[in-house]
Structure formats: C-alpha cells, structure tokens
Amino acid sequence: MDKITDKIAALPADANYFSLEFFPPKTPMGFSNLRDRLDRMARALRPLFVNVTWGAGGSTAQKSLELAEICQRELGLTTCLHLTCTNMSRRLIDKALDDAKALGIRNILALRGDPPRRAEYRDANDPDPGDDDDEFVWAVDLVRYIKKTHGDYFCIGVTAYPEGHADESHPLGQSLAHDLPHLVEKVQAGADFIMTQLFFDIGAYAKFEKTLREDPSGAFKDIVIIPGLMPIQSYQMIKRTTKLSHATIPDALMARLDAVKGDDEKVKTVGVDILSEMIEQIKEIKSRTPGPKGFHFYTLNLEKAVSFIVERTDLIAPSTPDEEAIAAADELAADIPRLQINGSTPRGSIHDLSRRQSTIGSDPRNRVIVLGRPASHPDYEATALEASVPAEPVNTRANTLAISEGEGVLGREATWDDFPNGRWGDARSPAYGQIDGYGVSLHVTVAQALELWGSPRTGEDVNSIFIRHLKGELPAIPWSEEGFNAETNAIRDHLIALNSKGWWTLASQPAVNGLSSSDPTFGWGPQHGFVFQKAFVECFIPSADWKILEEKLSQPEMKDVVCYFATNMAGDFVSSDTSHPSVDAGGQPFLQEPSTNAVTWGVFPGKEIVTPTIIEEVSFRAWSEEAFGIWGEWAKVYGRGSDSEKLLESIRADAWLVNIIHHDFVERDALWELLK
C-alpha cells in the first residue's frame, strides 16, 4: 500500500495523520547526517509519508533521487517525489519518472517550477517540438503527461495557495478566485490530492477549504486536501520564507515573534506554540468534512520543533496492536524501570506503549537461559553466551522521541544544529544552505528581472546595480532578494568603494568588540550577554585584480592577520587555510585539517559560547557552485547571443569569488584599510 491516497483511505474516519518534507543537503556530511535524522524521526514520529523536493536538472536532481531512495528503500517510508516540469526537457521528465518507478516510488507531487524559459533549457537531444508534442508550461501539463504515459501507476498530488498564488515580488493580483479555475483543471486532469503551500492566516485557510468544498464544479467535494505548515525555526528565516511565498503572518502572531526576535531559543518556543494552536484550529475546520485529518510539515531538514509540535497536538500515531500486546506481556513479566533523561521520564501519549520485544542483540533479559544445548526457541530462549552480550542502547519509541526533542546528552547531540544560519551555518548540518532546497534560482520572473536590473552591457552597468542595492534604491540583486541589516550602515561607504571598482560584494559584516547583547544595532541572543564579530567581505573580483590581491594576502606577515578562500568558475581553489602536513608536540607528523572560522560569537550567562556564523572551506565551496550558477541564471534572462548574455557569461568565466576574514576584531577598520 504505497499510494498516499490508499494509505489515507485505510485510516479510521476520525484519525489524524501527518507527513514531513525534506530537501537534499548541499554537502556530503549534511547528507550523511540527514540519513541518521530521518531514521530517528521515522522511528519516533512515524509519518504517514515523506516528501522529497526536486531541483531541476544536473546534480541537484540526482541528489533528490538519492534522498528519495534512502527514504523509500532503506527506511521503508512511503515517499512522494516532487517533480517540476518547466525548464525541463521531456527526456529528463521521462527519466525522472522512470527512476522513481524503479525505486518503487508511487507518489509524485506535480509542480510547475520557475517561470518557463524553454528556449534556454531545451535539451540538445530532444527533437524540435511539433504541434502535437507535449509542452510543459503549467503543472496541469505534467499531470496530463503522467496520466498519459503511466496511467494510474502514480498517485499524483498538486499544490494550492490558500491566499492565492503570486508570480511577482508583490502580492498584487494574488487571489484564490484567480487560482480556482487552474486548480479545477489540475484535479480534472487526474490529480489525486491537494497539498497547500505554507500559511499562517487561519481565516484564509478556512475560506480556502470552504470555497473548494462548495465549488460548483464538484471537483473538490471528496478530494484529499492537506494543509502545509512550516515550523518557525528562526525569526529571519520565517520573515524571508513568508516574503518569498507571499504568505501573510497575522499581526497578532507577528507581535509575539517581534517580542522575542533577538533570542533564537525563545523564537523557536513561541513558534511551537503558534503552530500547535494553528493545528487545533485546523482540526476544527476539517471536522466539517468527513474523513481523516492530515497535516504536512516543511521541516527544513530539522527535527526538534516538528517533534514537539506533533507530540503536543497528538498527531503521532499510537503503537500497533502487536506492539501493545508485547508491551503488556513485558509488563506482566517484569516491572523494569523506564529510561530517564535529565531526571524525567519521556512524556507523551505514546509512553505507555513504548516497550518492544527484545532481541538477542539488544536485551535478552526476558528470555530463559539454557545450558548445554542451543536455544530451540530463540523467541524466548538464549544461551549463556548470548545472554552475556552487552545490551545496546534502549531504542524504544518514547526514548527516540525524547532524543528528537533534544532531551539529555543524546538529544543535544542529535539536535546540535537546531539554530541554522543559512549558508553561514555549519556545513555538516542537513539544514545548511538556503532554506528552499530547490537549487539555483533568481526568485524572480523574467519581467521582474528586466524591471529590476535592466539590460547591462558593460561592467559599469553591473557596478551600478550593486551600488544602487547598497544605497537602498534596488530591493534585490540576483544573489539576494533581501535588504540590508542596520549594521551595514557602519561599512556602507567601504562597500560602495569596492563595488565602484568592480569588486561586487555579496556578503559582509563590520568588526564588533564586546558590545551588549541588547545593543539596538549589533545585539542578539539572551540578555546580559556580550557579542563579538570579525570583519569579513565576500565579493566577485576580476581575475587580474585577484592576482594582485592574492600576492598581497599571501605575504608572510599576513599569515595570522587574515584568512581567505577563493575559487573560480573552472573550479580552481586557493586558500590561506588548507590541509597541510604538520608535527605535534611529541614530534609525530599529522595532517592539519582546515580550521573553522567563527566570525560571530556571543558570551551569555550560564551558556557555552555561541557561534552562529562560521566560514569554512566546505561551506564556501558548496556556496560557490550556487553563486556562479546565478550568473548563468541571470544571463538566461536575456536570451542567447544578446549583448547582456555575453557580458554576464564573460564575467562568470573570468571572475573569482573571494571571501576575506580579518582576525583583528578590535580594530574596526583594519579589513577596509587593507583592501584599499
């Protein structure tokens, strides 16, 4: 029973269920750690199914399939694979569907993806399209194509926006009434369920579901509608996400987050409260329609917040009858104390059903020990040798849930990355990188790109775009759709000077030496703390300029003053901090690994030093692939052979992406004086 709709239909009419969404991590270490996290969440939470996001084309698409294989085959989780159709050739779509089928995946979430620019993305192996050939402009085209080529093999989901869909960077024209005919078309083409994008406005969702159920077409009368919810992982992250998705946060909810925005722990706690309250309200809305009530969570590859939410709202399915019988038999056999974590017993509705039958490899204490013969009945007998095997950790469901919620030493180890910081976080985290997980994108339409950035024809035109963004005259550049923090004012003139000579800055921060954590500009974290920053700047530099700067930064006297990382489109990489042979205090040789540069840290009462912003080789390399890819995406706005496309591609081929960190955080202008 691998189809989502079949699994839902098999549930009791009053049941609750939920699903979890993950994206392919950007680094191999992140991928490995996500595999462990998925295993833990699968055992503790038992989602009805999981979603795996899709990155169109290239290595991102392959990573999506690898992650889907882990979920479906290794962990036995019913998996729904996202699939975008625009800017994908028909051959690649066929391959993706065939690969999914080979993995045993029977669920596809059919998405449009970025606005189509088919001419730039056409596969060279595809024939020129004729009048009768399948073109993929909208998600409905993909739904029809899957039905046409694979019949009923796949259970097909489609997405909907409770507040209406907006292609532009502002929500003008965003309305459910505008979306409704398209959604009807997708369902009538063969969609089996609807999954919504994230929202926080319960009133908008109530109106959305009522409108669909009462639509005159009858298309939505009985279809499964699953609301999509995003746990609030950090203040900046939720602000960025809602801006990209055009989801409204009601003023009352925003006020609760604003009140704690400087303390990540409090933001996450308030976020759990908000999501839990929303779920109870959605349950009431869904009680008006017969059938199980489902919820979909955009996890962002994190586990702690969603674990708290699903336990608090009683969404975790109870143990099976077999497990209940085993637990009852165990209770009769012996009154064995339950594991305590931090002095408290794991809480929750699943606690009393958490004990499972032991195995020889884990805990043979409920077996009869036999001597002088093999164990004839291994279910309840063990030899003396088998009984002497040390017990493995107690992997009951309740204990695993406690770990996912961050309790005890094991919990702290499991949720060590619970406060991600985008691409400035730890590259070992499954959540490392930007939040969407969908690969390289401008996050704007072609029309928006032309309106924002015009058609640059010279390097001076590119300089002007970056400078206007720094001055607040442009809301976005291709690498960032966000404005600047207040702290940028301290170094704005330095950044403008760099961009004026063609050193295009993507990220930077000023030096800070022990300011109060409540400082209105630089402060963050709990009260009564002190915060520090090393100055750094990341920018694209023409190769000729980089050659001169590299020589300066490589002088012996600069060794303990700066750290730098640099790479180009061809993959050449240089750094002041690379693996190299060294000798320890005892004279033994060893390989010195590259260091991790903490460029922001805070000292708070009763806490270890907190380092939310780090720069290291692994994360820089992972980001550089995306950074150079965005030049290519920007060039595609203008069409092949155009002056703007030629300029941007030539810059992409020539420039170096460079990140320079100055270690002297006491002298605030040290980095900028150096770069003069």
Side-chain angles (χ1 to χ4, degrees):
M1 190 186 294
D2 285 327
K3 283 190 174 183
I4 289 170
T5 48
D6 289 343
K7 298 191 74 168
I8 294 172
L11 295 172
D14 60 348
N16 297 317
Y17 65 91
F18 68 93
S19 53
L20 304 174
E21 183 166 304
F22 302 92
F23 63 83
K26 294 181 180 294
T27 66
M29 292 179 292
F31 218 104
S32 175
N33 286 329
L34 180 59
R35 199 280 179 209
D36 294 337
R37 178 162 291 168
L38 281 166
D39 180 44
R40 188 164 51 247
M41 295 176 79
R43 288 187 285 112
L45 307 183
R46 294 188 188 167
L48 192 72
F49 62 95
V50 296
N51 278 23
V52 173
T53 66
W54 180 261
S59 62
T60 310
Q62 186 58 40
K63 289 177 182 177
S64 295
L65 289 168
E66 291 172 8
L67 180 56
E69 182 174 13
I70 288 173
C71 294
Q72 182 77 32
R73 284 190 166 179
E74 290 188 29
L75 302 178
L77 294 165
T78 297
T79 302
C80 179
L81 180 66
H82 291 203
L83 185 59
T84 59
C85 62
T86 55
N87 307 326
M88 284 264 289
S89 70
R90 183 172 49 181
R91 183 180 66 84
L92 289 177
I93 288 175
D94 284 337
K95 183 178 187 306
L97 292 170
D98 289 342
D99 287 342
K101 201 170 184 177
L103 294 175
I105 293 171
R106 303 203 60 185
N107 305 282
I108 299 291
L109 189 68
L111 305 165
R112 186 189 74 166
D114 286 340
R117 302 198 303 271
R118 186 171 175 83
E120 288 83 5
Y121 282 90
R122 185 181 303 284
D123 193 301
N125 296 320
D126 278 354
D128 291 332
D131 293 338
D132 297 329
D133 282 346
D134 298 285
E135 291 286 340
F136 302 105
V137 179
W138 306 102
V140 66
D141 301 321
L142 180 56
V143 175
R144 292 193 183 108
Y145 186 72
I146 295 173
K147 284 292 184 184
K148 172 184 170 182
T149 56
H150 292 273
D152 291 329
Y153 180 83
F154 289 109
C155 175
I156 304 172
V158 293
T159 59
Y161 292 75
E163 299 171 74
H165 177 256
D167 251 346
E168 304 300 319
S169 61
H170 51 79
L172 295 180
Q174 180 180 358
S175 75
L176 178 58
H178 177 268
D179 289 359
L180 206 53
H182 303 291
L183 192 55
V184 169
E185 193 177 14
K186 287 191 283 189
V187 172
Q188 291 178 339
D192 299 294
F193 67 93
I194 296 170
M195 182 173 285
T196 80
Q197 296 289 353
L198 68 98
F199 64 91
F200 290 93
D201 189 335
I202 289 294
Y205 181 78
K207 179 183 176 183
F208 165 79
E209 181 139 342
K210 184 175 187 292
T211 301
L212 263 59
R213 297 301 185 194
E214 296 177 358
D215 188 73
S217 70
F220 312 111
K221 183 180 178 182
D222 300 312
I223 196 167
V224 172
I225 301 174
I226 307 174
L229 303 170
M230 179 173 282
I232 297 172
Q233 307 289 359
S234 76
Y235 184 84
Q236 291 299 329
M237 184 177 287
I238 205 64
K239 291 279 283 187
R240 179 176 185 268
T241 307
T242 51
K243 178 182 178 181
L244 289 176
S245 63
H246 306 286
T248 303
I249 301 184
D251 291 342
L253 299 187
M254 199 67 240
R256 292 165 67 180
L257 294 170
D258 285 337
V260 295
K261 65 181 181 181
D263 190 327
D264 284 346
E265 289 185 16
K266 290 182 179 178
V267 168
K268 185 156 287 195
T269 299
V270 171
V272 169
D273 293 340
I274 288 173
L275 266 290
S276 300
E277 293 162 13
M278 287 178 62
I279 288 169
E280 297 305 329
Q281 293 171 304
I282 295 170
K283 285 180 181 178
E284 171 60 28
I285 294 168
K286 286 193 156 292
S287 66
R288 303 162 196 168
T289 304
K293 296 177 279 292
F295 303 85
H296 181 69
F297 294 97
Y298 300 99
T299 69
L300 302 182
N301 289 1
L302 297 169
E303 66 183 300
K304 188 173 180 178
V306 74
S307 297
F308 274 124
I309 291 165
V310 296
E311 184 186 18
R312 183 180 297 184
T313 55
D314 294 325
L315 294 183
I316 301 178
S319 299
T320 64
D322 286 345
E323 290 169 335
E324 292 183 30
I326 292 166
D330 282 348
E331 292 297 332
L332 288 173
D335 183 16
I336 300 169
R338 297 184 177 95
L339 174 68
Q340 291 195 334
I341 299 176
N342 278 354
S344 62
T345 303
R347 63 194 179 284
S349 59
I350 67 168
H351 173 70
D352 289 333
L353 305 177
S354 64
R355 299 214 47 232
R356 297 185 184 177
Q357 190 172 27
S358 301
T359 62
I360 289 175
S362 62
D363 189 355
R365 65 186 165 212
N366 61 348
R367 291 184 175 82
V368 175
I369 299 175
V370 297
L371 300 174
R373 64 175 177 83
S376 304
H377 304 282
D379 287 339
Y380 57 84
E381 291 184 342
T383 65
L385 178 62
E386 290 169 339
S388 69
V389 174
E392 296 294 326
V394 182
N395 276 330
T396 65
R397 189 178 177 193
N399 294 337
T400 306
L401 176 61
I403 292 170
S404 284
E405 292 177 347
E407 292 193 31
V409 174
L410 294 178
R412 288 194 294 273
E413 289 179 356
T415 60
W416 61 274
D417 61 339
D418 201 42
F419 299 99
N421 193 19
R423 71 182 187 89
W424 305 110
D426 195 317
R428 296 170 299 172
S429 169
Y432 166 76
Q434 295 297 351
I435 60 172
D436 47 36
Y438 288 97
V440 177
S441 173
L442 294 180
H443 295 300
V444 297
T445 64
V446 171
Q448 284 177 277
L450 292 171
E451 182 180 352
L452 284 167
W453 311 313
S455 299
R457 289 179 169 81
T458 66
E460 287 72 21
D461 292 340
V462 178
N463 295 359
S464 176
I465 290 169
F466 279 84
I467 292 171
R468 289 175 61 206
H469 185 230
L470 279 165
K471 291 180 175 180
E473 298 170 5
L474 274 181
I477 57 173
W479 292 265
S480 174
E481 68 285 341
E482 299 174 322
F484 292 96
N485 295 327
E487 69 174 34
T488 303
N489 290 328
I491 55 174
R492 192 181 307 273
D493 291 343
H494 297 304
L495 298 175
I496 289 175
L498 292 178
N499 283 276
S500 296
K501 63 179 183 179
W503 293 17
W504 301 307
T505 55
L506 302 186
S508 57
Q509 73 176 25
V512 170
N513 181 27
L515 290 181
S516 168
S517 61
S518 59
D519 184 273
T521 300
F522 299 99
W524 56 273
Q527 293 182 341
H528 311 302
F530 296 92
V531 297
F532 302 80
Q533 292 182 178
K534 291 181 181 179
F536 79 86
V537 66
E538 181 178 87
C539 53
F540 286 107
I541 300 180
S543 59
D545 288 0
W546 168 239
K547 185 176 181 181
I548 297 170
L549 181 60
E550 182 189 9
E551 184 176 349
K552 180 177 182 178
L553 297 178
S554 301
Q555 296 298 317
E557 62 269 21
M558 303 302 296
K559 182 175 183 294
D560 295 321
V561 176
V562 298
C563 175
Y564 67 84
F565 304 94
T567 189
N568 62 9
M569 181 62 193
D572 301 318
F573 176 81
V574 292
S575 173
S576 61
D577 183 27
T578 56
S579 301
H580 59 274
S582 187
V583 178
D584 64 18
Q588 296 299 314
F590 72 99
L591 184 66
Q592 179 69 54
E593 295 294 331
S595 61
T596 296
N597 293 277
V599 296
T600 302
W601 65 100
V603 181
F604 306 99
K607 289 182 175 291
E608 297 177 350
I609 293 176
V610 181
T611 57
T613 309
I614 64 174
I615 300 174
E616 57 184 341
E617 178 182 329
V618 174
S619 58
F620 177 79
R621 284 177 178 268
W623 156 244
S624 67
E625 295 179 13
E626 184 171 347
F628 280 105
I630 290 173
W631 282 109
E633 290 297 299
W634 188 11
K636 288 172 182 174
V637 166
Y638 305 102
R640 290 177 180 169
S642 66
D643 290 343
S644 295
E645 189 256 0
K646 290 178 181 177
L647 169 71
L648 298 175
E649 285 292 356
S650 67
I651 292 173
R652 182 189 190 196
D654 175 72
W656 282 72
L657 179 65
V658 181
N659 191 302
I660 305 169
I661 306 158
H662 202 291
H663 295 311
D664 187 352
F665 57 88
V666 176
E667 178 51 61
R668 67 178 187 176
D669 289 329
L671 173 63
W672 316 108
E673 291 296 327
L674 173 68
L675 294 180
K676 283 183 178 179

